[in-house]
């Protein structure tokens, strides 16, 4: 799908419309059909180009949305809550979480531990011990 789209670069590409090359920002933001329309009609007689000046943040968000949804499947927080629900009364250990979760690139065990602490503080997880004395986390 490609890289994340940048709002500042989108505005720079929008500015090309001031010299007659309209719609480049739409191609950049994964909107090839409307980009072609803007290119062939000079940004819908420049009215569409002006409207895009205010719509640009939404265009960039729409272009990045598929990356957010598919890139890391679920956030670390949601994966931890799903793991707790799946494990039920048995709960899970930090090691279980590190082995079973699909962590986004660059996420370290320390960050998972910090997220567990945040979920404990928000009362979305409970902490306890299993029969072997290990620290486990489970859904309240």
């Amino acid at each position: 799908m490609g890289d994340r789209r940048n709002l500042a670069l989108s505005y720079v590409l929008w500015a090309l419309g001031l010299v007659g090359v309209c719609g480049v920002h739409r191609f950049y933001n994964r909107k090839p059909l409307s980009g072609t329309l803007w290119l062939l009609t000079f940004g819908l007689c420049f009215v569409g180009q002006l409207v895009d000046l205010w719509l640009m943040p939404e265009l960039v968000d729409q272009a990045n949305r598929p990356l957010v949804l598919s890139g890391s499947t679920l956030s670390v927080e949601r994966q931890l809550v799903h793991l707790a629900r799946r494990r039920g009364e048995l709960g899970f250990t930090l090691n279980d979480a590190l082995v079973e979760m699909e962590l986004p690139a660059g996420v370290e065990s320390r960050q998972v531990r910090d997220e567990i602490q945040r979920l404990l503080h928000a009362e979305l997880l409970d902490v306890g011990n299993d029969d072997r004395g290990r620290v486990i986390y489970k859904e309240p």
Side-chain angles (χ1 to χ4, degrees):
M1 188 49 118
D3 294 329
R4 291 183 56 83
R5 298 307 191 229
N6 182 296
L7 183 60
L9 181 56
S10 292
Y11 278 122
V12 168
L13 294 173
W14 175 91
L16 289 174
L18 298 173
V19 293
V21 185
C22 299
V24 177
H25 64 286
R26 287 191 162 262
F27 284 106
Y28 174 71
N29 286 303
R30 299 185 178 99
K31 301 235 181 249
L33 295 177
S34 61
T36 303
L37 180 64
W38 260 239
L39 189 62
L40 296 175
T41 63
F42 298 103
L44 296 174
C45 296
F46 207 71
V47 173
Q49 191 78 3
L50 283 176
V51 170
D52 281 353
L53 185 61
W54 284 274
L55 294 180
M56 195 67 69
E58 179 61 26
L59 287 172
V60 173
D61 285 345
Q62 286 176 4
N64 289 331
R65 197 167 295 139
L67 297 174
V68 171
L69 294 176
S70 67
S72 62
T73 57
L74 293 175
S75 67
V76 172
E77 172 187 3
R78 290 182 62 105
Q79 287 188 61
L80 287 168
V81 172
H82 281 290
L83 181 59
R85 181 164 289 166
R86 198 171 55 243
R87 289 293 184 93
E89 284 299 311
L90 296 175
F92 67 91
T93 65
L94 177 61
N95 288 344
D96 294 334
L98 294 173
V99 169
E100 292 187 29
M101 290 174 49
E102 295 179 27
L103 296 176
V107 174
E108 300 174 357
S109 61
R110 177 186 49 77
Q111 293 166 295
V112 174
R113 190 171 43 246
D114 292 344
E115 187 63 26
I116 289 173
Q117 290 302 316
R118 194 187 69 70
L119 291 171
L120 287 168
H121 183 69
E123 298 180 1
L124 294 172
L125 286 179
D126 278 340
V127 65
N129 296 91
D130 65 3
D131 53 349
R132 293 175 37 191
R134 298 179 303 171
V135 175
I136 60 167
Y137 307 97
K138 54 186 172 181
E139 193 174 32

